[in-house]
Amino acid sequence: MIEAVQTSSQFTQRVFSGIQPSGGLTLGNYLGAMKRFVDMQGQDYETIYCMVDLHAITVWQDPAKLRHATRELCAGFIAAGIDPEQSILFNQSAVPEHAQLAWIFNCVARMGWMQRMTQFKDKAGKNAQNASLGLFAYPALMAADILIYHATHVPVGEDQKQHLELTRDIATKFNHDYGVDFFPITEPVIEGAATRVMSLRDGSKKMSKSDPSDASRINMTDDADTIAKKIRKAKTDPDALPSEAKGLENRPEARNLVNIYAALADMSVEAVLKDAGGKQFSEFKPILSELAVAKLAPISTEMARLTQDAGEIDKILDRGAERAREVAAPILKKTYEIVGMVGA
Ligand code: TRP
């Protein structure tokens, strides 16, 4: 039996998260993911952030659009504040160890586990027989993304919780089957309700890049005027803002705008309402708009600038992939040894 390499408590505090380059970044991606990734950077963790292009192609992607979306996502990360020196920033396909470990995990995970994944059921829809095998195996690749770095903390949205539980199941079964304590049992860092950004047209629906109405979302590429206009036109109700969070119950649009303000200002909802309670939306919207423009317009400007320089982006991604491989390669090698592969 291979001796345990490390015990769980000895794992380096390491954050990993990924975003799919499937085109169109919204305020939801910024507040729900990128801003949180930035906040974890330079704390007590190593931070690794990935554009998961191999996940993106589990559903059809036009190759030219995929290339553009990957570079735009990289620009978005940097514009949002990810420092490619401090963090490791790269695209998944450039580090082949992800796909290699995913294969091992395909052999660890059970059909029954995968069949329970609600995201597969949602994405495959009625015609599951026609879904790609990759879409079915998606969570095993996600587990590999995380565990190829022995990541201990994974910030994700609520919708990814089940995939993280599966990641823990895979790590546990691998460790058990091979009699090792090799893969860490990863901690999910789930976003709070406050960072769940809803549609500006319907406070009960998540803000989405695929909503047919562009007015329903703020895109990370929107300029200052567009941001201001969308907030001015956002759906509200006729009442004044309450002075306590409880007063937002059953007022999804009001709650959404207050949540957005709180997240952008790094304040609690209570603190926002202490100031804003009693204000009408005609008064609150301009305040929100001013804050949103101040925080977001510089990001979209920087994104546009970076996106134009594909050469610069590609250099950053190459360097990121190189650094990622330095962490991933020894972990894959050890995994192969544990499993009984000869050579390399
Ligand atoms: N499945 C995640 C999403 O759609 C993206 C992702 C892929 C991811 N691999 C990951 C997130 C690893 C965290 C860790 O949002």
Side-chain angles (χ1 to χ4, degrees), residues 198-269:
M198 311 305 280
S199 160
L200 298 180
R201 308 297 316 162
D202 176 351
S204 66
K205 282 201 310 203
K206 201 171 162 178
M207 183 179 284
S208 163
K209 66 174 183 204
S210 46
D211 191 311
S213 162
D214 192 58
S216 72
R217 64 181 158 264
I218 294 173
N219 302 299
M220 281 183 70
T221 47
D222 285 343
D223 62 20
D225 289 348
T226 310
I227 296 167
K229 185 163 148 221
K230 285 177 177 175
I231 291 177
R232 196 161 60 238
K233 294 202 164 163
K235 187 176 171 199
T236 51
D237 58 37
D239 297 335
L241 283 170
S243 39
E244 280 168 32
K246 211 171 156 332
L248 292 171
E249 274 168 26
N250 302 319
R251 296 181 65 187
E253 284 81 18
R255 183 173 55 207
N256 188 37
L257 295 184
V258 172
N259 277 348
I260 291 173
Y261 188 98
L264 285 171
D266 281 313
M267 284 166 75
S268 68
V269 165

Side-chain angles (χ1 to χ4, degrees), residues 105 107-110 113 166-180 183 185:
F105 286 172
C107 302
V108 172
R110 306 288 93 184
W113 299 1
L166 187 95
T167 301
R168 293 161 67 97
D169 290 345
I170 289 176
T172 304
K173 182 164 164 56
F174 182 98
N175 288 346
H176 176 266
D177 288 354
Y178 291 102
V180 292
F183 287 116
I185 309 305

Side-chain angles (χ1 to χ4, degrees), residues 11-17 37 40-49 85-88 149-155 323-324 326-328 331:
F11 289 105
T12 307
Q13 299 278 295
R14 193 176 276 149
V15 173
F16 180 94
S17 197
F37 299 173
M40 294 180 101
Q41 183 177 250
Q43 303 296 318
D44 296 332
Y45 311 102
E46 283 179 33
T47 42
I48 308 181
Y49 299 122
E85 290 305 316
Q86 204 170 15
S87 294
I88 298 180
Y149 302 103
H150 278 182
T152 51
H153 293 77
V154 181
R323 289 171 62 208
E326 284 168 18
V327 184
I331 293 177

Side-chain angles (χ1 to χ4, degrees), residues 305-324:
R305 189 189 69 76
L306 280 164
T307 306
Q308 277 180 1
D309 195 347
E312 177 65 19
I313 295 278
D314 291 2
K315 258 205 322 236
I316 291 168
L317 289 175
D318 278 355
R319 173 84 188 111
E322 201 181 302
R323 289 171 62 208

Side-chain angles (χ1 to χ4, degrees), residues 16-20 52 55 138 142 145-146 154 156 160 163:
F16 180 94
S17 197
I19 300 183
Q20 295 195 43
V52 289
H55 276 113
Y138 180 116
M142 181 163 161
D145 296 339
I146 296 164
V154 181
V156 282
Q160 295 300 310
H163 288 161

Side-chain angles (χ1 to χ4, degrees), residues 81-118:
I82 297 298
D83 173 351
E85 290 305 316
Q86 204 170 15
S87 294
I88 298 180
L89 186 62
F90 70 104
N91 60 311
Q92 191 183 27
S93 60
V95 178
E97 285 81 0
H98 288 242
Q100 290 175 286
L101 184 61
W103 180 258
I104 306 269
F105 286 172
N106 282 344
C107 302
V108 172
R110 306 288 93 184
M111 293 289 285
W113 299 1
M114 307 312 259
Q115 266 153 358
R116 284 197 288 274
M117 294 294 116
T118 56

